[in-house]
Amino acid sequence: MNFTGKVAISTGAASGMGLLFAENFATLGGNVVMCDVNEAVLAEKVADINKRGAGKALGVLCDVRDYAQVCAARDKAVAAFGRIDVMANFAGGTAVRMCKVDREKHPEFPDVPIDVYDWGIDVNLKGPFYFAHAVLKQMREQKCGLIINIGSITGAEGDGYGMDYPTSKAGLMYGLTKSIAQFGAPYGIRAVCVSPGPVLTRAAMANMKTLLGRAADPQEIIDLCLFIASEKGQFINGENIMIDGGRNAMQRRSDK
């Protein structure tokens, strides 16, 4: 795969899969705009990529919950590189974990402060929605582009406590991705959702069961995203692709 001359925006790009996507895309010749709220770490990672001498990286401080900042990131990408070929929405996380909710004090869903769930829906659903709205203006002018949303097996399974996460991810998997594909078709724009099962971005993910008996290496998820973005993946559109080691095919009831 070769992304020379192509430009991608990656959110959550100071760490995790957002960073790994940016590193891979640049290694394969593409230019990448890396968005994150952690300015110091982001600057370090951007510098690391730029030292390698393949594709160029640009860091943009951006809170995906703020539409003005999202539009500013889009504008900086176009100003620096002239186009946006791929929008990869990696920023996200389960609110009760990211906001460090004390489950002893807040044992069940109705006990958790609503602003915690607001954070989760804003980051996981509104963030990708905002970026779609912003970058589709540029992609419509270009008459080409790809939006990659990141769903989750949790969007299919649900979660009786961290409800913001499956609610948001299901919205990406089954609503936003198909809707973008419908809008974008006349302009040569595609949308695909990649929905991982357990991924070893955190050690705890190793405890989630799959039919293959393991969690994914993060690179396995990124390899699928790169394939979709490459010339070989151009016929994939409007679809949610589960990459979960067979977890979604497992029997749900414990007595079977």
Side-chain angles (χ1 to χ4, degrees):
M1 289 180 279
N2 188 319
F3 294 109
T4 301
K6 300 295 185 181
V7 180
I9 297 177
S10 179
T11 65
S15 62
M17 290 194 292
L19 172 60
L20 189 58
F21 176 83
E23 291 172 334
N24 276 255
F25 195 84
T27 297
L28 294 167
N31 298 315
V32 63
V33 177
M34 300 168 63
C35 299
D36 205 282
V37 293
N38 191 331
E39 189 171 16
V41 176
L42 180 62
E44 176 188 334
K45 300 304 182 184
V46 167
D48 287 345
I49 290 175
N50 284 328
K51 286 176 186 175
R52 299 176 190 177
K56 300 293 185 183
L58 172 69
V60 177
L61 187 66
C62 179
D63 185 336
V64 302
R65 300 172 298 170
D66 186 327
Y67 184 68
Q69 292 186 39
V70 167
C71 290
R74 173 203 61 200
D75 293 343
K76 289 176 182 178
V78 175
F81 300 118
R83 59 188 297 109
I84 301 168
D85 296 288
V86 181
M87 176 68 237
N89 289 303
F90 285 100
T94 305
V96 291
R97 177 175 62 85
M98 301 297 289
C99 298
K100 297 180 171 59
V101 172
D102 184 340
R103 193 150 186 173
E104 290 188 4
K105 289 177 60 178
H106 309 291
E108 295 187 323
F109 168 70
D111 306 315
V112 177
I114 196 62
D115 59 340
V116 172
Y117 294 121
D118 282 340
W119 182 95
I121 291 171
D122 286 350
V123 171
N124 292 304
L125 181 57
K126 287 177 70 175
F129 194 99
Y130 280 176
F131 261 104
H133 187 265
V135 305
L136 281 170
K137 295 176 182 178
Q138 174 64 29
M139 291 180 175
R140 181 175 60 186
E141 287 184 20
Q142 299 169 183
K143 297 219 170 356
C144 66
L146 166 66
I147 293 180
I148 299 176
N149 291 321
I150 302 300
S152 171
I153 182 63
T154 310
E157 292 181 335
D159 184 331
Y161 186 63
M163 289 194 192
D164 60 290
Y165 196 68
T167 299
S168 300
K169 293 301 186 180
L172 297 181
M173 293 156 67
Y174 306 114
L176 184 60
T177 298
K178 290 182 183 296
S179 299
I180 294 170
Q182 291 172 14
F183 163 79
Y187 304 105
I189 299 167
R190 295 183 297 130
V192 180
C193 190
V194 172
S195 294
V199 185
L200 291 175
T201 48
R202 294 187 297 117
M205 292 294 97
N207 299 324
M208 287 181 68
K209 294 179 180 179
T210 69
L211 287 180
L212 296 184
R214 66 174 179 86
D217 184 283
Q219 186 64 49
E220 293 179 288
I221 310 303
I222 299 306
D223 285 344
L224 176 56
C225 294
L226 294 169
F227 177 83
I228 293 166
S230 76
E231 291 302 316
K232 296 182 178 182
Q234 294 297 304
F235 202 59
I236 304 171
N237 190 26
E239 191 55 82
N240 175 57
I241 302 175
M242 201 78 78
I243 175 169
D244 66 346
R247 183 176 172 88
N248 199 43
M250 293 175 68
Q251 293 175 314
R252 294 296 200 272
R253 288 173 55 184
S254 60
D255 60 345
K256 286 191 175 182

PDB file of all heavy atoms in Angstrom, residues 159-182:
ATOM      1  N   ASP A 159     -24.207  -2.468  27.327  1.00  0.00           N
ATOM      2  CA  ASP A 159     -23.518  -2.396  28.615  1.00  0.00           C
ATOM      3  C   ASP A 159     -24.488  -1.760  29.602  1.00  0.00           C
ATOM      4  O   ASP A 159     -24.867  -0.599  29.454  1.00  0.00           O
ATOM      5  CB  ASP A 159     -22.244  -1.556  28.499  1.00  0.00           C
ATOM      6  CG  ASP A 159     -21.430  -1.511  29.783  1.00  0.00           C
ATOM      7  OD1 ASP A 159     -22.021  -1.623  30.871  1.00  0.00           O
ATOM      8  OD2 ASP A 159     -20.195  -1.354  29.697  1.00  0.00           O
ATOM      9  N   GLY A 160     -24.897  -2.502  30.597  1.00  0.00           N
ATOM     10  CA  GLY A 160     -25.911  -2.035  31.533  1.00  0.00           C
ATOM     11  C   GLY A 160     -25.442  -0.968  32.493  1.00  0.00           C
ATOM     12  O   GLY A 160     -26.253  -0.430  33.265  1.00  0.00           O
ATOM     13  N   TYR A 161     -24.160  -0.625  32.461  1.00  0.00           N
ATOM     14  CA  TYR A 161     -23.626   0.408  33.350  1.00  0.00           C
ATOM     15  C   TYR A 161     -23.060   1.578  32.539  1.00  0.00           C
ATOM     16  O   TYR A 161     -23.519   2.701  32.642  1.00  0.00           O
ATOM     17  CB  TYR A 161     -22.543  -0.192  34.251  1.00  0.00           C
ATOM     18  CG  TYR A 161     -22.028   0.757  35.315  1.00  0.00           C
ATOM     19  CD1 TYR A 161     -22.871   1.241  36.310  1.00  0.00           C
ATOM     20  CD2 TYR A 161     -20.693   1.143  35.340  1.00  0.00           C
ATOM     21  CE1 TYR A 161     -22.401   2.102  37.295  1.00  0.00           C
ATOM     22  CE2 TYR A 161     -20.208   1.993  36.316  1.00  0.00           C
ATOM     23  CZ  TYR A 161     -21.066   2.476  37.307  1.00  0.00           C
ATOM     24  OH  TYR A 161     -20.586   3.323  38.281  1.00  0.00           O
ATOM     25  N   GLY A 162     -22.090   1.293  31.683  1.00  0.00           N
ATOM     26  CA  GLY A 162     -21.496   2.342  30.850  1.00  0.00           C
ATOM     27  C   GLY A 162     -22.303   2.556  29.585  1.00  0.00           C
ATOM     28  O   GLY A 162     -21.822   2.332  28.470  1.00  0.00           O
ATOM     29  N   MET A 163     -23.535   3.006  29.717  1.00  0.00           N
ATOM     30  CA  MET A 163     -24.478   3.003  28.596  1.00  0.00           C
ATOM     31  C   MET A 163     -24.135   4.000  27.493  1.00  0.00           C
ATOM     32  O   MET A 163     -24.579   3.846  26.363  1.00  0.00           O
ATOM     33  CB  MET A 163     -25.897   3.274  29.094  1.00  0.00           C
ATOM     34  CG  MET A 163     -26.506   2.122  29.877  1.00  0.00           C
ATOM     35  SD  MET A 163     -28.282   2.371  30.054  1.00  0.00           S
ATOM     36  CE  MET A 163     -28.641   1.122  31.281  1.00  0.00           C
ATOM     37  N   ASP A 164     -23.363   5.014  27.817  1.00  0.00           N
ATOM     38  CA  ASP A 164     -22.986   5.985  26.787  1.00  0.00           C
ATOM     39  C   ASP A 164     -22.207   5.320  25.660  1.00  0.00           C
ATOM     40  O   ASP A 164     -22.355   5.695  24.487  1.00  0.00           O
ATOM     41  CB  ASP A 164     -22.123   7.088  27.400  1.00  0.00           C
ATOM     42  CG  ASP A 164     -20.841   6.524  28.007  1.00  0.00           C
ATOM     43  OD1 ASP A 164     -20.933   5.834  29.035  1.00  0.00           O
ATOM     44  OD2 ASP A 164     -19.753   6.744  27.431  1.00  0.00           O
ATOM     45  N   TYR A 165     -21.378   4.341  26.005  1.00  0.00           N
ATOM     46  CA  TYR A 165     -20.460   3.760  25.021  1.00  0.00           C
ATOM     47  C   TYR A 165     -21.179   2.929  23.962  1.00  0.00           C
ATOM     48  O   TYR A 165     -21.042   3.194  22.760  1.00  0.00           O
ATOM     49  CB  TYR A 165     -19.389   2.943  25.749  1.00  0.00           C
ATOM     50  CG  TYR A 165     -18.192   2.622  24.893  1.00  0.00           C
ATOM     51  CD1 TYR A 165     -17.316   3.624  24.484  1.00  0.00           C
ATOM     52  CD2 TYR A 165     -17.922   1.317  24.500  1.00  0.00           C
ATOM     53  CE1 TYR A 165     -16.206   3.332  23.705  1.00  0.00           C
ATOM     54  CE2 TYR A 165     -16.819   1.017  23.725  1.00  0.00           C
ATOM     55  CZ  TYR A 165     -15.964   2.028  23.325  1.00  0.00           C
ATOM     56  OH  TYR A 165     -14.870   1.741  22.542  1.00  0.00           O
ATOM     57  N   PRO A 166     -21.984   1.921  24.337  1.00  0.00           N
ATOM     58  CA  PRO A 166     -22.703   1.179  23.301  1.00  0.00           C
ATOM     59  C   PRO A 166     -23.709   2.032  22.551  1.00  0.00           C
ATOM     60  O   PRO A 166     -23.940   1.820  21.357  1.00  0.00           O
ATOM     61  CB  PRO A 166     -23.392   0.044  24.073  1.00  0.00           C
ATOM     62  CG  PRO A 166     -23.464   0.516  25.473  1.00  0.00           C
ATOM     63  CD  PRO A 166     -22.231   1.351  25.679  1.00  0.00           C
ATOM     64  N   THR A 167     -24.309   2.998  23.234  1.00  0.00           N
ATOM     65  CA  THR A 167     -25.258   3.891  22.559  1.00  0.00           C
ATOM     66  C   THR A 167     -24.545   4.666  21.452  1.00  0.00           C
ATOM     67  O   THR A 167     -25.029   4.757  20.318  1.00  0.00           O
ATOM     68  CB  THR A 167     -25.882   4.867  23.572  1.00  0.00           C
ATOM     69  OG1 THR A 167     -26.597   4.119  24.562  1.00  0.00           O
ATOM     70  CG2 THR A 167     -26.830   5.841  22.893  1.00  0.00           C
ATOM     71  N   SER A 168     -23.393   5.219  21.788  1.00  0.00           N
ATOM     72  CA  SER A 168     -22.620   5.999  20.816  1.00  0.00           C
ATOM     73  C   SER A 168     -22.087   5.128  19.692  1.00  0.00           C
ATOM     74  O   SER A 168     -22.176   5.483  18.510  1.00  0.00           O
ATOM     75  CB  SER A 168     -21.458   6.704  21.519  1.00  0.00           C
ATOM     76  OG  SER A 168     -21.919   7.573  22.526  1.00  0.00           O
ATOM     77  N   LYS A 169     -21.515   3.985  20.052  1.00  0.00           N
ATOM     78  CA  LYS A 169     -20.897   3.130  19.045  1.00  0.00           C
ATOM     79  C   LYS A 169     -21.940   2.540  18.094  1.00  0.00           C
ATOM     80  O   LYS A 169     -21.690   2.425  16.882  1.00  0.00           O
ATOM     81  CB  LYS A 169     -20.078   2.021  19.716  1.00  0.00           C
ATOM     82  CG  LYS A 169     -18.854   2.531  20.464  1.00  0.00           C
ATOM     83  CD  LYS A 169     -17.913   3.291  19.551  1.00  0.00           C
ATOM     84  CE  LYS A 169     -16.620   3.683  20.254  1.00  0.00           C
ATOM     85  NZ  LYS A 169     -15.697   4.436  19.361  1.00  0.00           N
ATOM     86  N   ALA A 170     -23.098   2.182  18.619  1.00  0.00           N
ATOM     87  CA  ALA A 170     -24.163   1.696  17.734  1.00  0.00           C
ATOM     88  C   ALA A 170     -24.590   2.787  16.765  1.00  0.00           C
ATOM     89  O   ALA A 170     -24.909   2.517  15.602  1.00  0.00           O
ATOM     90  CB  ALA A 170     -25.355   1.207  18.556  1.00  0.00           C
ATOM     91  N   GLY A 171     -24.592   4.030  17.231  1.00  0.00           N
ATOM     92  CA  GLY A 171     -24.917   5.137  16.347  1.00  0.00           C
ATOM     93  C   GLY A 171     -23.934   5.282  15.202  1.00  0.00           C
ATOM     94  O   GLY A 171     -24.322   5.581  14.063  1.00  0.00           O
ATOM     95  N   LEU A 172     -22.660   5.050  15.481  1.00  0.00           N
ATOM     96  CA  LEU A 172     -21.643   5.090  14.427  1.00  0.00           C
ATOM     97  C   LEU A 172     -21.790   3.896  13.484  1.00  0.00           C
ATOM     98  O   LEU A 172     -21.716   4.041  12.260  1.00  0.00           O
ATOM     99  CB  LEU A 172     -20.234   5.061  15.034  1.00  0.00           C
ATOM    100  CG  LEU A 172     -19.813   6.217  15.933  1.00  0.00           C
ATOM    101  CD1 LEU A 172     -18.376   6.002  16.406  1.00  0.00           C
ATOM    102  CD2 LEU A 172     -19.939   7.542  15.220  1.00  0.00           C
ATOM    103  N   MET A 173     -21.999   2.728  14.058  1.00  0.00           N
ATOM    104  CA  MET A 173     -21.996   1.481  13.292  1.00  0.00           C
ATOM    105  C   MET A 173     -23.183   1.383  12.339  1.00  0.00           C
ATOM    106  O   MET A 173     -23.029   0.916  11.204  1.00  0.00           O
ATOM    107  CB  MET A 173     -22.001   0.293  14.265  1.00  0.00           C
ATOM    108  CG  MET A 173     -20.718   0.163  15.073  1.00  0.00           C
ATOM    109  SD  MET A 173     -20.912  -0.745  16.655  1.00  0.00           S
ATOM    110  CE  MET A 173     -21.286  -2.397  16.078  1.00  0.00           C
ATOM    111  N   TYR A 174     -24.341   1.813  12.796  1.00  0.00           N
ATOM    112  CA  TYR A 174     -25.556   1.544  12.040  1.00  0.00           C
ATOM    113  C   TYR A 174     -26.281   2.795  11.551  1.00  0.00           C
ATOM    114  O   TYR A 174     -27.165   2.706  10.718  1.00  0.00           O
ATOM    115  CB  TYR A 174     -26.517   0.705  12.893  1.00  0.00           C
ATOM    116  CG  TYR A 174     -25.855  -0.545  13.417  1.00  0.00           C
ATOM    117  CD1 TYR A 174     -25.637  -0.730  14.778  1.00  0.00           C
ATOM    118  CD2 TYR A 174     -25.417  -1.527  12.540  1.00  0.00           C
ATOM    119  CE1 TYR A 174     -25.009  -1.883  15.255  1.00  0.00           C
ATOM    120  CE2 TYR A 174     -24.785  -2.679  13.011  1.00  0.00           C
ATOM    121  CZ  TYR A 174     -24.585  -2.850  14.359  1.00  0.00           C
ATOM    122  OH  TYR A 174     -23.959  -3.979  14.825  1.00  0.00           O
ATOM    123  N   GLY A 175     -25.935   3.966  12.040  1.00  0.00           N
ATOM    124  CA  GLY A 175     -26.618   5.172  11.621  1.00  0.00           C
ATOM    125  C   GLY A 175     -25.728   6.111  10.838  1.00  0.00           C
ATOM    126  O   GLY A 175     -25.958   6.373   9.654  1.00  0.00           O
ATOM    127  N   LEU A 176     -24.697   6.616  11.501  1.00  0.00           N
ATOM    128  CA  LEU A 176     -23.864   7.644  10.878  1.00  0.00           C
ATOM    129  C   LEU A 176     -23.125   7.125   9.657  1.00  0.00           C
ATOM    130  O   LEU A 176     -23.083   7.794   8.614  1.00  0.00           O
ATOM    131  CB  LEU A 176     -22.869   8.199  11.907  1.00  0.00           C
ATOM    132  CG  LEU A 176     -21.993   9.352  11.423  1.00  0.00           C
ATOM    133  CD1 LEU A 176     -22.837  10.550  11.002  1.00  0.00           C
ATOM    134  CD2 LEU A 176     -20.989   9.754  12.506  1.00  0.00           C
ATOM    135  N   THR A 177     -22.545   5.941   9.751  1.00  0.00           N
ATOM    136  CA  THR A 177     -21.746   5.428   8.636  1.00  0.00           C
ATOM    137  C   THR A 177     -22.591   5.240   7.384  1.00  0.00           C
ATOM    138  O   THR A 177     -22.200   5.657   6.290  1.00  0.00           O
ATOM    139  CB  THR A 177     -21.065   4.102   9.033  1.00  0.00           C
ATOM    140  OG1 THR A 177     -20.171   4.361  10.134  1.00  0.00           O
ATOM    141  CG2 THR A 177     -20.288   3.508   7.876  1.00  0.00           C
ATOM    142  N   LYS A 178     -23.743   4.632   7.522  1.00  0.00           N
ATOM    143  CA  LYS A 178     -24.613   4.427   6.354  1.00  0.00           C
ATOM    144  C   LYS A 178     -25.105   5.765   5.796  1.00  0.00           C
ATOM    145  O   LYS A 178     -25.214   5.949   4.581  1.00  0.00           O
ATOM    146  CB  LYS A 178     -25.805   3.542   6.732  1.00  0.00           C
ATOM    147  CG  LYS A 178     -25.426   2.088   7.006  1.00  0.00           C
ATOM    148  CD  LYS A 178     -26.655   1.272   7.331  1.00  0.00           C
ATOM    149  CE  LYS A 178     -26.281  -0.163   7.690  1.00  0.00           C
ATOM    150  NZ  LYS A 178     -25.674  -0.886   6.561  1.00  0.00           N
ATOM    151  N   SER A 179     -25.402   6.698   6.692  1.00  0.00           N
ATOM    152  CA  SER A 179     -25.916   7.999   6.254  1.00  0.00           C
ATOM    153  C   SER A 179     -24.861   8.785   5.487  1.00  0.00           C
ATOM    154  O   SER A 179     -25.164   9.422   4.468  1.00  0.00           O
ATOM    155  CB  SER A 179     -26.403   8.795   7.466  1.00  0.00           C
ATOM    156  OG  SER A 179     -27.453   8.111   8.122  1.00  0.00           O
ATOM    157  N   ILE A 180     -23.618   8.750   5.964  1.00  0.00           N
ATOM    158  CA  ILE A 180     -22.541   9.423   5.242  1.00  0.00           C
ATOM    159  C   ILE A 180     -22.354   8.788   3.872  1.00  0.00           C
ATOM    160  O   ILE A 180     -22.157   9.488   2.868  1.00  0.00           O
ATOM    161  CB  ILE A 180     -21.225   9.367   6.037  1.00  0.00           C
ATOM    162  CG1 ILE A 180     -21.343  10.168   7.333  1.00  0.00           C
ATOM    163  CG2 ILE A 180     -20.061   9.888   5.195  1.00  0.00           C
ATOM    164  CD1 ILE A 180     -20.177   9.968   8.282  1.00  0.00           C
ATOM    165  N   ALA A 181     -22.409   7.458   3.812  1.00  0.00           N
ATOM    166  CA  ALA A 181     -22.254   6.765   2.532  1.00  0.00           C
ATOM    167  C   ALA A 181     -23.340   7.187   1.550  1.00  0.00           C
ATOM    168  O   ALA A 181     -23.083   7.373   0.354  1.00  0.00           O
ATOM    169  CB  ALA A 181     -22.266   5.258   2.740  1.00  0.00           C
ATOM    170  N   GLN A 182     -24.569   7.335   2.047  1.00  0.00           N
ATOM    171  CA  GLN A 182     -25.673   7.755   1.174  1.00  0.00           C
ATOM    172  C   GLN A 182     -25.466   9.171   0.665  1.00  0.00           C
ATOM    173  O   GLN A 182     -25.649   9.454  -0.519  1.00  0.00           O
ATOM    174  CB  GLN A 182     -27.000   7.648   1.942  1.00  0.00           C
ATOM    175  CG  GLN A 182     -27.414   6.218   2.222  1.00  0.00           C
ATOM    176  CD  GLN A 182     -28.615   6.128   3.152  1.00  0.00           C
ATOM    177  OE1 GLN A 182     -29.304   7.118   3.393  1.00  0.00           O
ATOM    178  NE2 GLN A 182     -28.865   4.943   3.690  1.00  0.00           N
TER     179      GLN A 182
END
